[in-house]
Each structure stands twice: as C-alpha cells, then as structure tokens.
Amino acid sequence: MHLTEKPLTGYSPISIVSNSTLNSFRAQKHYGRGLTIAEFKCKLELVVGSPASCMDLELYTSDDKFVMKLDSDEALLGSYPIDDGCRIHVIDRSGARVGEYEDVSRVEKYEMSATDYEKRPDSVRSFLKRSKVGKFNEEEMLKKEAEQEQKLTEEKAQAEAISVGARCEVRVSGQPNKRGTVMFVGLAEFKPGYWIGIKYDEPLGKNDGSVNGKQYFECQPKYGAFVKPQYVTVGDFPEEDYGLDDEM
C-alpha cells in the first residue's frame, strides 16, 4: 500500500514541480502535505488547465525517475513518498489537445466600445478628466499650444534671416564650432519646426543632405547636417583647415 511508503511526519508545505500532457511549461509551487489528492487536483487545475475530474497523477523524483501513481483521491498528499523538488506529471483525460490552453489566439477576447468606455466612471480616462490631467486640462493644453506657436514663430523669423548659399558657423554649447555653407532653409518632414541644412567644410556632419530617404540637398556623406536656426550664425566665415586631409 502506498500509505506505508513514507510516514506522514507533518503537514508542512512541500515544493512540487508540476507539468501536464497538455502544455510544455513546468510550474513550481508549495503545497501542504495535509491536502487530500482530490484537493491537490483542484489546485493543479488552476496551474495546468486540466479539469480535476479528468486527471491522472504520476510521481517522479527530482531527477525524473518514475516513482508511482497517485491514484487515491482520499489519501493525503503527505502519505506518498514526496520530497522537495519532486515532479507531478498530470495526464489529461478530458480529450483536450496538446497546447490548447497555451494558444491565446483561440481565446475569445472581450472588447469594449469607445462609447461604453467613455460612460464608465471608474476608468483611467474618467479619472484624468476629473483630475484635469494632461490633455483633459484645457487651460494647460491651451498654454502648451501657445508656447509651441510662439516657438515656431520665433524659429521662422530666425530662419528667414538665413539665406541658402550663405557662409555660416554652427555654434552649439559643448561642441566645437563648425563652418560650412547653408544649403537648405525651411520645414522638414523628419521633425517639427524650421531647420537649416548645412554642408560643412570638413566631414563633421551626420548625413549626405538626406534624412529618412528624403534628399533636402546634395553633399558628400558625413558633410551634411540639420540644425535649428538659433545655432547658426551667418557671416564672413572663410574655410578653415582642420588638418583632416593630412591624417592617414
């Protein structure tokens, strides 16, 4: 009799690995030795997905050697020779297919309409509205729009003072000054606002005058760059010798 295989020394929890014929994963959890096998199956149902009434249980050691079947629903889990790290293999008799409970594409999903979601008082959107946060703060949104419009107006005025073909110097804090020729002035597709396209005198840039496949002007690779108008100073800036041609 399996009840004499191992004396029941207490109802302390035991760490058990479980897997099933229905799926590929293994789960490790603690279970009380005082559970009956019927109660144990009910807990396994939440882990492997098989109905408790359609389970056959097999006990394996931690190194995957078969020990015995757990075939008495009334017996206590601790009455079997179970040690920490052992594995319980669940054989499903429900007729379900392998992987059926892992394929989430087969699960019917509930989708709420935008109208119904709008009516819910406990949604995140309702909370944001009540709290007037983000886009639901009309005053804040109007302020941001005004700031963006003001910034765009200032950028436009700065850009209009820069002519294509002019010599310039790009001055960005924390970077060495770089000289070149203005090749493009205006709005661009890659980012909002006004941009100045520069062909540097030396290969100190990032592109060939194109960004994301769109060509704004022509130059050699690494000679082109786009900078904001506030960083561009137009004037009599002759080409400087950076000594790059002397390097090998």
Side-chain angles (χ1 to χ4, degrees), residues 194-238:
Y194 286 82
W195 293 86
I196 309 300
I198 310 290
K199 181 179 75 172
Y200 288 129
D201 297 337
E202 299 291 345
L204 304 172
K206 296 183 177 180
N207 53 57
D208 62 352
S210 67
V211 178
N212 298 333
K214 181 175 177 61
Q215 197 79 44
Y216 293 91
F217 62 90
E218 300 283 345
C219 72
Q220 293 176 285
K222 299 295 184 180
Y223 277 76
F226 291 86
V227 296
K228 283 297 186 178
Q230 64 264 34
Y231 300 121
V232 180
T233 301
V234 175
D236 183 16
F237 296 108

Side-chain angles (χ1 to χ4, degrees), residues 69 73 112:
K69 293 185 176 183
D73 286 347
M112 182 181 295

Side-chain angles (χ1 to χ4, degrees), residues 72-168:
S72 175
D73 286 347
E74 295 78 21
L76 297 180
L77 182 62
S79 66
Y80 288 91
I82 295 179
D83 293 312
D84 279 328
C86 68
R87 178 170 66 89
I88 298 296
H89 181 60
V90 179
I91 300 173
D92 180 87
R93 295 183 286 98
S94 67
R97 295 172 312 184
V98 175
E100 182 172 347
Y101 297 133
E102 293 179 292
D103 186 1
V104 296
S105 66
R106 297 172 58 86
V107 179
E108 184 177 353
K109 299 175 179 62
Y110 172 73
E111 294 185 4
M112 182 181 295
S113 68
T115 302
D116 289 339
Y117 182 74
E118 189 71 30
K119 294 177 181 179
R120 290 183 65 94
D122 56 350
S123 66
V124 174
R125 184 179 300 172
S126 296
F127 171 77
L128 294 176
K129 283 183 176 181
R130 291 193 302 270
S131 305
K132 294 184 178 181
V133 176
K135 66 180 182 179
F136 299 107
N137 188 331
E138 185 175 353
E139 183 178 345
E140 182 181 343
M141 292 302 295
L142 289 173
K143 182 180 178 181
K144 285 185 177 181
E145 289 176 6
E147 290 175 351
Q148 292 174 354
E149 188 173 340
Q150 177 64 25
K151 181 180 178 181
L152 189 61
T153 301
E154 292 175 358
E155 277 190 358
K156 181 180 180 180
Q158 292 169 338
E160 288 176 344
I162 301 173
S163 302
V164 172
R167 290 289 298 170
C168 68

Side-chain angles (χ1 to χ4, degrees), residues 11-14 30-36 77-78:
Y11 293 163
S12 59
I14 188 169
H30 286 83
Y31 300 93
R33 295 177 186 269
L35 291 172
T36 65
L77 182 62

